[in-house]
Amino acid sequence: QAKDKGRGTYHFYTESLTRSANERLALETRLRRALEQDEFVLHYQPLVALTDGRIFGVEALVRWQIPGEGLLYPNHFIPLAEETGLIVPLGEWVLRTACARMKTWLDAGLPLEMLAVNLSPRQFRQGDLYERIRAVLAETRLPSRYLELEITETALMEDGPENETKLAALKALGVRIAIDDFGTGYSSLAYLKRFPIDKLKIDQSFVRDIPQDTSNMEIAAAIIAMARNLKLEVLAEGVEAEAQLAFLKRHGCDVAQGYLFGHPVAADAMQATLEAAMGKG
Ligand code: C2E
Ligand code: MG
Ligand code: MG
Ligand code: MG
């Protein structure tokens, strides 16, 4: 994977599906301890409005800071955290930390409108999800309208009917719902009518090879058109090149995220960027 270049080698913490039972157990033990010892950090990536290029929000992305080893990226530990259930306490830590940070940024007068936080399928399945989210918002004093929860299609389609109630409750609380990695999960689009969704995030695999890959261009354009017709916001993930940006703008995409605008960075660096942008604006 190109994006893992330069991050050192993690022979032990491999993403490999063929990881042995012993290795998995060791990693699970290590993950559990990492939670207790506060080894996780959040990075924040700008969400940008395509009309004026303004950073209107940020997505929180978790990393594991292994002492003496460097940063480990979520693809290497989220799957196992999900499998073992450790994603529940980890996800709660992410939510609380991100909401608290957002609150300090708002209090400092930074012009942010949105904090996006990923919810794994297992987190979404929790019976008391609503109560947990409400509790974190109350505790951090972040007004609910700033929080956008990112859920994948796959998570949404598990169990069916009760998810409608769950989403309706979250909407009533005032949080926003985005479908992450849109287009990669589920083939029926009927759920877009059924669920109270605010935004579609076009998966980066459809953005990657624009303008070389014509079928990707067709798919991206179709998702944008559909979202607009359904009165949903639409964000393009993984925008790395001017040509992609031009294409997305031409097709009426609202917002985007990607290395072209900014990599995910630590909170301090994000704050410096936001302050600099405010100074210019
Ligand atoms: P995601 O939610 O779709 O997040 C976007 C991913 O794309 C991030 O990878 C981000 O760094 C990467 N990205 C952003 N712009 C570009 C670009 O221009 N080009 C390319 N090639 N990549 C770009 P990251 O941080 O490694 O996270 C990977 C996935 O791990 C996330 O995908 C999300 O599914 C999961 N994840 C991250 N943080 C959390 C979390 O706190 N909780 C849960 N449950 N999952 C998380
Ligand atoms: Mg996401
Ligand atoms: Mg995504
Ligand atoms: Mg993804």
Side-chain angles (χ1 to χ4, degrees):
Q1 254 180 315
K3 75 173 193 177
D4 285 345
K5 246 187 271 164
R7 285 175 184 171
T9 45
Y10 302 100
H11 43 275
F12 177 68
Y13 304 96
T14 49
E15 197 179 349
S16 166
L17 295 171
T18 59
R19 205 195 273 134
S20 76
N22 276 343
E23 282 175 323
R24 289 166 52 92
L25 190 63
L27 179 56
E28 185 183 338
T29 307
R30 195 61 197 77
L31 257 180
R32 212 177 284 281
R33 213 173 58 213
L35 255 175
E36 286 160 14
Q37 300 184 343
D38 236 1
E39 291 176 11
F40 293 98
V41 290
L42 292 185
H43 280 187
Y44 297 87
Q45 187 176 31
L47 308 175
V48 172
L50 294 192
T51 42
D52 56 5
R54 197 171 65 86
I55 299 175
F56 68 93
V58 292
E59 177 173 359
L61 296 157
V62 70
R63 280 90 180 82
W64 181 0
Q65 176 72 66
I66 303 176
E69 279 212 59
L71 277 191
L72 193 63
Y73 285 72
N75 294 343
H76 297 273
F77 59 89
I78 292 280
L80 189 68
E82 178 76 8
E83 242 177 82
T84 55
L86 284 169
I87 192 70
V88 170
L90 174 58
E92 186 134 346
W93 177 87
V94 168
L95 188 68
R96 181 174 302 109
T97 307
C99 287
R101 176 67 64 180
M102 181 69 172
K103 177 72 166 108
T104 65
W105 283 340
L106 291 173
D107 287 349
L110 294 174
L112 286 174
E113 290 155 27
M114 186 180 298
L115 166 72
V117 176
N118 294 284
L119 276 195
S120 82
R122 184 131 174 186
Q123 281 179 280
F124 184 65
R125 240 182 277 138
Q126 294 172 96
D128 60 351
L129 179 68
Y130 171 85
E131 284 77 12
R132 282 167 183 267
I133 300 227
R134 198 183 49 180
V136 170
L137 288 169
E139 186 189 318
T140 58
R141 288 177 295 117
L142 178 69
S144 57
R145 66 175 181 281
Y146 290 105
L147 180 63
E148 183 164 276
L149 298 173
E150 299 193 356
I151 306 167
T152 60
E153 291 166 286
T154 320
L156 208 54
M157 294 325 294
E158 288 173 5
D159 319 327
E162 56 192 72
N163 289 348
E164 246 172 285
T165 326
K166 203 173 249 179
L167 286 183
L170 289 171
K171 285 297 297 175
L173 183 61
V175 305
R176 301 163 43 88
I177 308 292
I179 304 298
D180 205 352
D181 306 339
F182 183 78
T184 60
Y186 193 72
S187 56
S188 163
L189 294 171
Y191 78 92
L192 292 178
K193 285 192 305 191
R194 236 169 1 106
F195 292 130
I197 292 159
D198 297 286
K199 179 185 285 164
L200 303 182
K201 296 189 75 170
I202 306 174
D203 189 67
Q204 56 184 57
S205 63
F206 301 121
V207 175
R208 189 171 300 137
D209 295 317
I210 293 175
Q212 288 81 33
D213 185 324
T214 50
S215 34
N216 268 1
M217 291 163 81
E218 297 290 350
I219 293 169
I223 295 174
I224 295 166
M226 180 183 71
R228 291 175 69 90
N229 286 329
L230 291 172
K231 308 273 187 291
L232 300 173
E233 290 165 36
V234 58
L235 177 147
E237 298 194 273
V239 178
E240 296 181 359
E242 291 290 348
Q244 294 169 335
L245 174 60
F247 175 88
L248 294 162
K249 272 184 172 169
R250 195 160 67 240
H251 286 270
C253 187
D254 304 312
V255 287
Q257 172 178 9
Y259 298 161
L260 181 64
F261 311 105
H263 286 251
V265 292
D268 288 354
M270 189 71 244
Q271 183 170 332
T273 300
L274 292 167
E275 283 165 352
M278 197 167 59
K280 269 184 283 173

